[in-house]
Structures are given as C-alpha cells and as structure tokens.
Amino acid sequence: MTYAAIIGIGSYLPERRLTNADLECMVDTSDEWILSRTGIAERRIAAEGEATSDMAARAGTVAIQDAGVEPGKVDLLIVATSTPDMLMPSAAALAQAKMGLTCPAMDINAACTGFIYALQLAASTIESGRARTVLVIGADTLSSIVDFTDRTTCVLFGDGAGAVVLRASKDPGVLGVHLGADGTGADMLMVPAGGSAAPLTPERMAAREQFMVMNGNEVFKFAVRRIPQVTKQALRESHLGVEDVDWLVPHQANQRIIDTIADRLGISHDHVVSTIRDTGNTSSASIPLAIDALYTAGRLRPGQTLALVGFGAGLTWGAAIVRWTKEEDV
Ligand code: UT7
C-alpha cells in the first residue's frame, strides 16, 4: 500500500500587525473584551497589493525547500482558500506561476475547513498512484472580506498562509480523514454579494454586502458539538483512540472553542496547539500555520500523532489524523 506523508512544511505571515489597541480606535470594542472572549491579541494584515496567491507562494516555496524537492517534481498544487485573488483564474494558478511550478493547480473552497479537505484530496491522489508529490497550501486574506465597521467580526480575523508537501511513502503518514458538510447552515457565515447569486452593484456595496456576516453564537455551538464527534470518527477510522493523540491542532477561531473541544475530547491543554493570540482566525491557513509553529519550536517528534480538526462556513467540518514522519534535519 502507498501512503501519503508530510515531508515539508512552511508558512508566511504578512508583516503588518493589527493589535487590539488599534481596533479600539476603529470600533466600539476593548482589548479586555477581545482577549477574554476570543484569546486574540493581534493579527497580521496583508500589505497593500499583497494577495492570497502572493502569501501562498511564499509559504509554498518554504515548504518545497524544507522538503528538499525540486520544483519540477511537484505533481499537483492545491490551494485551499475562500479569498482568492479574483474569481478566475484560481489563486492556485497564480501561485503556481509565482513559484515557478509547472504542475496542474486548483483551488478548493471549504472555508476554514479547506486545508483538511485539500489534505484528503492530496492524500487520496497519492494513495491511488496518480501523483507522487503534492503541494497543499492553505491561504486566506480575510482582511479583504472583513467589514472593519462591524465589531462582531472584524476583531476575529487575520491574513496568512501555511503549506505542506506530501509525498508517496511506504510508511503511513495521513492515517485517516473524515469530512462533512451541511449546506442548510449556509446563512450562518457568508459573504452575501460578489458571486453569481448577487453580483456586486453600487446598491449592494452601499449595504456592505461584499463583506462577511456571521451568526457567531450559532457557529460557536456548531463547532463545539460537531468537532469532538468528527475527531473521534477520524480516530476510529485510523484504528486509534483519543489517548493516542500527541497533538490536537484545531482550527484557530476562538480560544474558548479550542478549550471546549479539548475538554470534551478529554485532551489535556498541554497537548493542544494554540497560535490564535498572535494570528487571529486565518481560515484555511490556520491549521498549517499551527503545525508549523509546533515544528519550528522543535516540539514535533517523528512518530507523534496529530489530530487536525477544522470547521467553518458551508457549514463544513473535518478531521485528519496524521503520523508525523519527518525528521527535523530533512
Ligand atoms: O472560522 C469559523 C468562524 N467563526 C467562528 O468560529 C466564530 C464563533 N463564534 C465566536 O467565536 C463567538 O461567538 C464570538 C467571539 C463571535 C462572540 O462571542 P460571544 O461570547 O458569543 O459574544 P456574543 O455574540 O454573545 O455577544 C456578547 C456581547 C453582545 O452585547 P450585548 O448584546 O450583551 O449587550 C455583543 O454586542 O458582546 C458584544 N460584542 C462586543 N463587545 C465588544 C460583540 N462583539 C464585540 C466586540 N467588542 N468586538
């Protein structure tokens, strides 16, 4: 049997920091409210003219170098994003050119679950023998769809990109993935205008419909109910239990959600990765950014088991169980 294993990782965060103190000057909020309700202290914001494909290419290039793979050996590029540079071409096609790759390239949009969806597709393609090396990037420029006059959303989101290179391996890497979606919950988190249902018009822009709207309370409840279930399902399908998880790497949406998920799974907070304080919610980028933070801190050891779990607009959700096989010096 051929498996897919992570052999390279990289990330990119834009330089500009947006702190809670900055937001206090923009909307009726406070550092105390944001920190206590979300755990976020600051987030990064893309520079003027810096698009999703730019950040994706930066993270992807680092991951390819980390993997020690020749760019010409990458067989497929998948970019998970819900904020592509433009409706077409895909952010993946634009990032492919920026990285000097020549392989097929496509976007996946499963909102904040995008990285887990992309990982499933990449692993399946490798396991089936149709590709040997796949670059998966999660990248989002949430600042382009956040309404910076809406305090209920603008304090939560940031920009960034994270990437992994997967390669065919005889040893198991991606052990199991379980995905889900329920489109009846679409109105809980959406950008109403700018697509085919409601093309942008001056009237829609005046009503600020080009920006994200969210029912935060409902998304919160959905996440803490669904994620423990899907994590257990993915573990079962991988013939593992919660006690086998060395690192829970949850989508970074809210520290209270992260803590509740860990508590409901019975996983000690020492085994949970949290980067939300410094990045906010970076959607598709949040899980690879969190893995990379763990990796660069030297805390990931070969043989350890990661449970990557995500949820977001759609509604979508997913969990991937991954055995870390990469040596630090590879
Ligand atoms: O990537 C996945 C997508 N998103 C998520 O996962 C988000 C999930 N939801 C959440 O993280 C939380 O629901 C929020 C952080 C969005 C909100 O936290 P909450 O504890 O659920 O607050 P709430 O919506 O129940 O609001 C409590 C109060 C309200 O005031 P009143 O009605 O009690 O007077 C809000 O108007 O807090 C107010 N509020 C704020 N106050 C200061 C809402 N946003 C802010 C703010 N600053 N930024």
Side-chain angles (χ1 to χ4, degrees):
M1 158 106 192
T2 301
Y3 297 96
I6 294 176
I7 60 158
I9 183 157
S11 62
Y12 172 76
L13 287 169
E15 261 174 48
R16 188 179 149 210
R17 294 177 145 84
L18 183 69
T19 65
N20 291 349
D22 296 329
L23 285 161
E24 283 176 347
C25 303
M26 296 162 68
V27 287
D28 179 15
T29 191
S30 66
D31 177 49
E32 193 280 327
W33 191 96
I34 302 171
L35 256 186
S36 62
R37 299 286 183 126
T38 73
I40 303 168
E42 62 177 41
R43 54 305 275 144
R44 301 296 185 91
I45 303 293
E48 191 73 33
E50 189 173 37
T52 296
S53 68
D54 296 308
M55 297 193 296
R58 297 270 209 136
T61 300
V62 177
I64 290 171
Q65 284 166 357
D66 184 51
V69 163
E70 289 294 315
K73 296 282 186 200
V74 178
D75 300 318
L76 174 65
L77 166 64
I78 307 172
V79 175
T81 186
S82 45
T83 52
D85 302 32
M86 52 194 80
L87 281 180
M88 63 178 186
S90 65
L94 298 167
Q96 183 245 34
K98 287 171 186 170
M99 288 185 280
L101 303 181
T102 51
C103 59
M106 65 172 149
D107 285 2
I108 279 193
N109 178 355
C112 302
T113 322
F115 183 76
I116 307 286
Y117 270 65
L119 201 68
Q120 165 81 313
L121 180 56
S124 307
T125 309
I126 289 172
E127 287 158 8
S128 72
R130 290 181 186 267
R132 187 170 151 70
T133 308
V134 181
L135 174 59
V136 174
I137 306 176
D140 267 304
T141 314
L142 278 314
S143 61
S144 66
I145 56 163
V146 160
D147 182 351
F148 281 99
T149 66
D150 175 8
R151 70 174 183 173
T152 67
T153 52
C154 75
V155 302
L156 301 173
F157 297 96
D159 303 334
V164 296
V165 176
L166 290 147
R167 193 165 62 192
S169 160
K170 59 179 175 21
D171 301 315
V174 178
L175 305 178
V177 184
H178 198 95
L179 303 176
D182 177 8
T184 64
D187 59 356
M188 283 193 210
L189 179 49
M190 69 194 311
V191 177
S196 57
L200 276 186
T201 59
E203 294 72 26
R204 289 187 178 122
M205 288 183 74
R208 308 187 77 74
E209 290 178 21
Q210 71 274 37
F211 295 123
M212 182 197 309
V213 286
M214 177 174 73
N215 182 336
N217 287 307
E218 287 306 314
V219 176
F220 192 114
K221 282 189 256 173
F222 146 72
V224 298
R225 191 183 64 244
R226 182 65 74 184
I227 289 302
Q229 289 170 355
V230 70
T231 309
K232 285 183 185 164
Q233 257 160 331
L235 280 166
R236 247 194 323 273
E237 288 164 20
S238 307
H239 310 291
L240 295 174
V242 171
E243 64 287 356
D244 297 309
V245 175
D246 294 295
W247 296 107
L248 178 68
V249 188
H251 167 49
Q252 308 285 308
N254 184 322
Q255 188 61 47
R256 289 187 295 138
I257 295 179
I258 295 172
D259 291 343
T260 309
I261 290 170
D263 292 343
R264 291 192 177 178
L265 282 166
I267 295 178
S268 139
H269 292 198
D270 305 347
H271 292 264
V272 181
V273 186
S274 175
T275 57
I276 193 165
R277 190 182 170 89
D278 299 328
T279 60
N281 180 344
T282 55
S283 195
S284 299
S286 90
I287 292 171
L289 279 171
I291 305 171
D292 196 39
L294 197 61
Y295 175 64
T296 50
R299 301 175 71 198
L300 253 181
R301 300 266 170 271
Q304 287 189 326
T305 301
L306 296 93
L308 316 177
V309 298
F311 57 91
L315 296 167
T316 56
W317 60 89
I321 309 304
V322 173
R323 172 89 21 88
W324 192 257
T325 50
K326 184 176 157 42
E327 301 286 342
E328 263 168 68
D329 58 349
V330 168

